[in-house]
């Protein structure tokens, strides 16, 4: 190996050291590129699709699956969902309430928001209150209207 | 994961891409031929589920498998006809000083490929659009699925190009439930091509360094495994620009046609690319006029450059949206109703500068990449001023600067035309297109070229012992003795 190559090798090593010494790239390397949460070797032992979904989507995915189990076997369900603004107003911050299209992707359940054009067809609702979040069947127009008007206050 | 399915698809991408590449009769190196075969093969296969759907055949593992096999064989015919024994050059092992950069690049490639496989699709734009359509197309065996019966008032993502939807259908059926691994099939050939392209232009030390800078742009790396349209769009847009430049240098029509084809693919992936291609048409127009090319030829070429992306646009908007999306779409609704207010355009430029290029948000997205570029750019200006009289900007550098300017002003213009083209998402990712062009500029930078030459001279000077001068006939050699009196001696 000649002197030029040795010098260039040292230059490349020096450049890389300086590069990852810049605070931004140091942080990027540790928190994004090589973070412990993304450890490839750990992940190789956890290849189950459901685990990976839970890992990526967190509580929201579990919430969706719970609703799916609750409504299993029910026909022609149109589920009224609260939106994120409403959930935040009752201090539920761990759940990311999805829009109807994304909810359908995870659950196969037809859902609507209070702002949806076909909200009047909703026959089930995710009701979130101070006592918790539950799925209930809408049995009357008055019940539907009261939930819709509650959620509409926070509609986008 | 179905490795046999992945292997089949990789071969199918290669064969179909190689066949289409053969049609253009380009003279590329073996590495670049292989890279472009894969790169082109990815969007080509995305047409297959559309054909299957148009023929009203259920979308199943078997139908897609057979359709891909037939499609690849048909596309591969030109490659078989023009088959020649490949010229296998010597395998060039990177120099020792390139390895630190290349090892880091390799780590990034492995991480990207793994995350592409491991993580489900995350982006909301995908989950409410192409990924949703693909998932239900697989479940219900048709692209006109139950998705169109649900409440879609919060999204318009189902109107987007069929590129991702169809690739997801293929990869979900043949490879793994999340699909997505096609991104790695595109990513690896593209970075390999970038490395090969840089190696042709600059000293290997700088080539590896620039490749590393390119691959370590934080969001660019992230979007190599987070599924969205922008990384693919950047790949085809840059390749189109690269071959347009090659055409302007070698004047060969097949390079121009290939550039138009690649711009067409970029437009197929993101339809608004058509506007940027329109701006790019100014470059060949200017060069042709300067070179006094006949008007008819200029008109034909510019028409071709615009017609191919326009055809891609029409395929997306007329064929795909009309055939596979049973909901009316009016593109005019997306256009800014107040086009007379130009201040919106300048406001967009300001926002792009303040938020993305020089702002704190920009640092998170692009790291210090723009700063590196600006350092090289201003150093080049100083270098050019210090070397007045010498040409320090080669043609490619000037073309690359033109490309940078077009994207710099083109993206805010798109934001002005389509208000949905926002700063924090669409413009942010649209700026990916400027990054490889900046890399191309840096590879042609006068200063880095001069440094490259110095390093090469130094290297060859250290390595090689000067050849023993052979005695030459006195008549041919102007020695000090027989040199005319007014001829200066060689200055050392």
């Amino acid at each position: 190996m000649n002197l030029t190559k040795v010098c260039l090798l040292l230059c490349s090593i020096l450049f890389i050291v300086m590069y990852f010494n810049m605070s931004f790239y140091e942080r990027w390397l540790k928190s994004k590129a090589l973070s412990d949460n993304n450890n490839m070797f750990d992940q190789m032992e956890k290849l189950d699709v459901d685990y990976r979904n839970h890992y990526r989507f967190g509580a929201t995915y579990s919430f969706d699956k719970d609703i799916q189990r609750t409504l299993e076997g029910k026909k022609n369900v149109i589920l009224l969902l609260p939106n994120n603004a409403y959930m935040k107003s009752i201090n539920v911050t761990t759940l990311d309430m999805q829009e109807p299209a994304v909810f359908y992707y995870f659950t196969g359940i037809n859902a609507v928001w209070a702002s949806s054009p076909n909200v009047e067809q909703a026959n089930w609702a995710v009701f979130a209150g101070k006592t918790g979040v539950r799925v209930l069947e809408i049995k009357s127009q008055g019940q539907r209207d009261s939930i819709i008007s509650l959620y509409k206050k926070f509609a986008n | 994961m179905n490795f046999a399915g992945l292997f089949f698809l990789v071969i199918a991408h290669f064969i179909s891409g190689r066949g289409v590449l053969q049609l253009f009769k380009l003279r590329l190196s073996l590495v670049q031929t292989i890279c472009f075969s894969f790169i082109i093969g990815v969007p080509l296969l995305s047409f297959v589920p559309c054909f299957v759907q148009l023929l009203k055949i259920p979308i199943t593992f078997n139908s897609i498998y057979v359709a891909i096999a037939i499609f690849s064989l048909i596309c591969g015919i030109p490659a078989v006809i023009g088959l020649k024994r490949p010229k296998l050059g010597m395998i060039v092992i990177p120099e020792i000083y390139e390895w630190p950069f290349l090892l880091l690049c390799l780590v990034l490639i492995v991480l990207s490929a793994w995350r592409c496989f491991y993580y489900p699709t995350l982006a909301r734009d995908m989950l409410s659009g192409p990924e949703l359509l693909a998932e239900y197309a697989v479940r219900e065996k048709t692209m006109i699925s139950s998705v169109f019966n649900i409440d879609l008032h919060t999204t318009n993502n189902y109107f987007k190009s069929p590129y991702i939807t169809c690739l997801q259908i293929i990869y979900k059926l043949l490879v793994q439930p999340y699909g997505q691994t096609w991104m790695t099939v595109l990513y690896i050939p593209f970075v390999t091509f970038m490395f090969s392209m840089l190696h042709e232009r600059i000293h290997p030390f700088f080539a590896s360094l620039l490749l590393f800078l390119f691959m370590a742009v934080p969001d660019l790396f992230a979007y190599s495994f987070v599924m969205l349209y922008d990384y693919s769009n950047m790949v085809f847009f840059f390749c189109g620009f690269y071959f347009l430049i090659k055409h302007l240098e070698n004047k060969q029509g097949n390079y121009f046609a290939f550039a138009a084809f690649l711009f067409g693919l970029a437009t197929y992936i993101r339809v608004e690319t058509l506007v940027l291609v329109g701006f790019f048409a100014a470059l060949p127009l200017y060069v042709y006029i300067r070179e006094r090319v006949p008007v008819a030829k200029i008109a034909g070429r510019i028409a071709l450059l615009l017609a191919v992306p326009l055809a891609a646009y029409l395929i997306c908007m007329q064929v795909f949206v009309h055939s596979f999306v049973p909901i009316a779409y009016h593109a005019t609704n997306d256009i800014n109703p107040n086009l007379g207010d130009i201040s919106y355009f300048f406001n967009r430029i300001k926002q792009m500068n303040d938020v993305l290029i020089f702002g704190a948000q920009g640092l998170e997205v692009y790291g210090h990449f723009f700063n590196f570029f600006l350092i090289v750019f201003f150093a080049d200006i100083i270098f050019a001023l210090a070397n007045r009289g010498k040409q320090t900007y080669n043609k490619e550098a000037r073309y690359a600067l033109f490309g940078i300017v077009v994207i710099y002003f083109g993206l805010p213009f798109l934001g002005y035309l389509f208000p949905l083209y926002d700063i924090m998402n669409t413009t942010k990712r649209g700026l990916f297109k400027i990054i490889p062009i900046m890399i191309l500029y840096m590879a042609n930078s006068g200063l880095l070229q001069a440094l490259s030459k110095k390093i090469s001279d130094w290297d060859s000077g250290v390595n090689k012992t000067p050849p023993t001068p052979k005695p030459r006939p006195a008549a041919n050699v102007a020695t000090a003795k027989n040199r005319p009196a007014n001829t200066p001696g060689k200055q050392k």
Side-chain angles (χ1 to χ4, degrees):
Chain A
M1 204 178 351
N2 66 38
L3 184 64
T4 319
K5 287 180 182 168
V6 173
C7 288
L8 289 174
L9 175 64
L10 291 175
C11 284
S12 55
I13 293 170
L14 188 69
F15 181 89
I16 289 166
V17 170
M18 283 165 57
Y19 189 85
F20 287 112
N21 257 327
M22 281 192 262
S23 60
F24 171 77
Y25 286 109
E26 189 184 3
R27 189 161 44 86
W28 175 70
L29 189 71
K30 286 178 182 163
S31 66
K32 299 270 174 72
L34 299 175
S35 80
D36 290 341
N37 291 337
N38 290 322
N39 190 317
M40 213 171 89
F41 300 103
D42 288 347
Q43 289 174 342
M44 279 178 187
E45 293 176 6
K46 295 164 187 165
L47 292 176
D48 176 59
V49 171
D50 210 39
Y51 171 83
R52 282 146 73 184
N53 282 337
H54 272 287
Y55 180 81
R56 196 63 160 166
F57 299 107
T60 306
Y61 181 75
S62 308
F63 176 72
D64 288 350
K65 288 290 149 189
D66 282 347
I67 293 177
Q68 194 182 22
R69 271 190 292 273
T70 308
L71 295 174
E72 204 168 5
K74 306 274 188 306
K75 288 188 176 170
N76 302 321
V77 172
I78 297 179
L79 183 69
L80 175 59
L81 295 173
N83 64 13
N84 273 325
Y86 173 77
M87 295 301 264
K88 275 183 190 161
S89 75
I90 56 164
N91 296 323
V92 178
T93 51
T94 50
L95 285 178
D96 180 27
M97 292 308 298
Q98 294 141 337
E99 61 193 289
V102 180
F103 188 77
Y104 188 72
Y105 172 76
F106 284 111
T107 62
I109 295 169
N110 199 345
V112 289
W113 267 353
S115 56
S116 299
N118 57 335
V119 66
E120 289 297 328
Q121 293 170 6
N123 49 15
W124 286 80
V126 171
F127 186 76
K130 284 176 183 166
T131 52
V133 181
R134 60 202 160 94
V135 179
L136 53 87
E137 189 173 6
I138 298 173
K139 289 180 177 160
S140 67
Q141 185 64 33
Q143 187 188 13
R144 182 182 296 113
D145 289 344
S146 66
I147 301 173
I148 291 171
S149 64
L150 178 66
Y151 288 172
K152 257 194 177 161
K153 287 178 194 164
F154 301 89
N156 297 326
Chain B
M1 181 144 143
N2 179 359
F3 283 100
L6 180 62
F7 183 71
F8 167 75
L9 284 175
V10 168
I11 299 290
H13 284 305
F14 179 78
I15 292 174
S16 47
R18 183 70 188 83
V20 172
L21 194 63
Q22 183 70 30
L23 292 174
F24 292 96
K25 296 193 168 87
L26 305 170
R27 296 185 68 185
L28 300 174
S29 67
L30 182 64
V31 171
Q32 292 192 2
T33 304
I34 293 170
C35 291
F36 277 105
S37 300
F38 282 117
I39 290 172
I40 300 170
V42 172
L44 282 180
L45 284 200
S46 77
F47 291 112
V48 171
C50 290
F51 291 141
V52 172
Q53 178 71 40
L54 282 173
L55 294 170
K56 300 193 174 164
I57 299 170
I59 293 175
T60 61
F61 176 89
N62 288 336
S63 65
I64 291 292
Y65 188 88
V66 171
I68 287 174
I70 294 169
F71 183 84
S72 309
L73 288 175
I74 293 170
C75 287
I77 289 170
V80 177
I81 292 170
L83 194 67
K84 286 179 191 163
R85 183 188 286 267
K87 287 178 187 167
L88 297 172
M90 269 176 51
I91 294 171
V92 181
I93 296 169
E95 296 286 354
I96 185 81
Y97 47 80
E98 293 179 80
W99 281 107
F101 293 121
L102 295 184
L103 284 174
L104 282 170
C105 291
L106 191 66
V107 168
L108 292 177
I109 287 174
V110 171
L111 285 175
S112 167
W114 173 257
R115 289 174 191 179
C116 209
F117 155 75
Y118 191 78
Y119 290 126
T121 306
L122 185 68
R124 176 257 168 192
D125 281 8
M126 292 292 108
L127 294 175
S128 62
E131 169 66 11
L132 174 68
L133 295 177
E135 180 63 31
Y136 279 85
V138 169
R139 286 187 202 177
E140 298 173 10
K141 301 180 176 47
T142 172
M143 288 172 75
I144 305 168
S145 62
S146 60
V147 169
F148 297 106
N149 299 327
I150 65 166
D151 173 22
L152 295 170
H153 88 285
T154 53
T155 174
N156 62 358
N157 289 317
Y158 48 88
F159 285 126
K160 285 185 174 163
S161 157
Y163 170 73
I164 287 184
T165 308
C166 292
L167 284 169
Q168 280 296 93
I169 290 173
I170 293 170
Y171 275 78
K172 276 170 183 277
L173 282 168
L174 271 65
V175 183
Q176 64 136 347
Y178 296 148
Q180 296 193 139
T181 30
W182 56 267
M183 287 191 288
T184 307
V185 180
L186 189 67
Y187 180 58
I188 296 175
F190 182 65
V191 293
T192 311
F193 157 67
M194 287 294 283
F195 186 52
S196 149
M197 184 269 291
L198 290 169
H199 249 251
E200 285 174 355
R201 281 159 180 75
I202 202 163
H203 189 274
F205 173 78
F206 290 116
S208 323
L209 190 153
L210 289 177
L211 182 77
F212 169 69
L213 287 183
F214 172 71
M215 289 183 67
V217 174
D219 261 30
L220 203 55
F221 168 65
Y223 282 101
S224 70
F225 57 87
V226 173
M227 191 174 69
L228 274 171
Y229 288 96
D230 304 271
Y231 197 95
S232 303
N233 181 245
M234 174 201 76
V235 168
F236 289 97
F237 190 80
F238 174 71
C239 293
F241 180 66
Y242 173 78
F243 280 97
L244 185 63
I245 287 179
K246 293 281 271 187
H247 159 73
L248 294 176
E249 285 168 358
N250 65 21
K251 314 294 174 208
Q252 291 179 22
N254 51 343
Y255 281 76
F256 185 85
F258 191 56
F261 174 68
L262 289 168
F263 279 135
L265 290 177
T267 307
Y268 162 65
I269 293 166
R270 280 202 79 104
V271 287
E272 72 272 13
T273 310
L274 182 62
V275 177
L276 295 178
V277 177
F279 289 139
F280 266 128
L283 180 62
L285 186 67
Y286 170 74
V287 174
Y288 293 154
I289 291 171
R290 242 185 117 185
E291 292 173 355
R292 296 168 196 268
V293 175
V295 175
K297 198 173 179 183
I298 296 178
R301 286 263 166 89
I302 299 299
L304 177 71
L305 188 65
L306 297 176
V308 179
L310 186 66
Y313 174 85
L314 293 174
I315 286 173
C316 281
M317 303 311 291
Q318 298 300 320
V319 179
F320 176 71
V321 172
H322 277 203
S323 307
F324 304 139
V325 183
I327 296 173
Y329 178 62
H330 305 288
T332 46
N333 291 350
D334 291 343
I335 295 177
N336 181 4
N338 197 12
L339 284 173
D341 184 7
I342 301 286
S343 66
Y344 194 69
F345 169 64
F346 294 106
N347 195 26
R348 275 301 177 107
I349 295 178
K350 186 176 181 304
Q351 278 182 321
M352 194 173 79
N353 283 335
D354 293 349
V355 179
L356 291 177
I357 296 180
F358 301 111
Q361 180 68 31
L363 182 66
E364 295 297 320
V365 176
Y366 311 108
H368 291 291
F369 182 81
F370 289 130
N371 296 336
F372 291 130
F373 168 75
L374 288 174
I375 289 169
V376 174
F377 178 69
F378 286 115
D380 262 356
I381 293 176
I382 295 167
F383 182 71
L385 290 173
N387 291 280
R388 277 185 192 171
K390 291 181 189 172
Q391 189 174 353
T392 52
Y393 283 95
N394 66 21
K395 271 189 180 173
E396 239 181 41
R398 280 178 276 164
Y399 293 151
L401 282 176
F402 172 83
I404 291 165
V405 169
V406 163
I407 293 173
Y408 181 79
F409 289 105
L411 292 179
F413 183 76
L414 282 171
Y416 155 74
L417 272 186
F418 309 107
L420 283 175
Y421 204 97
D422 65 349
I423 287 283
M424 289 312 297
N425 296 294
T426 330
T427 307
K428 177 189 92 174
R429 297 193 297 263
L431 269 174
F432 289 167
K433 286 190 271 291
I434 213 169
I435 292 172
I437 302 181
M438 285 178 168
I439 291 283
L440 180 67
Y441 170 80
M442 289 196 262
N444 287 287
S445 137
L447 180 65
L448 293 187
Q449 289 281 343
L451 282 172
S452 279
K453 194 170 176 308
K454 283 251 187 257
I455 295 172
S456 299
D457 289 348
W458 183 30
D459 197 15
S460 54
V462 171
N463 268 335
K464 294 171 191 169
T465 49
T468 323
K470 289 176 187 170
R472 281 183 277 178
N476 294 338
V477 182
T479 59
K481 207 174 178 181
N482 64 7
R483 187 185 298 130
N486 59 350
T487 312
K490 192 179 178 186
Q491 299 293 312
K492 285 197 176 177

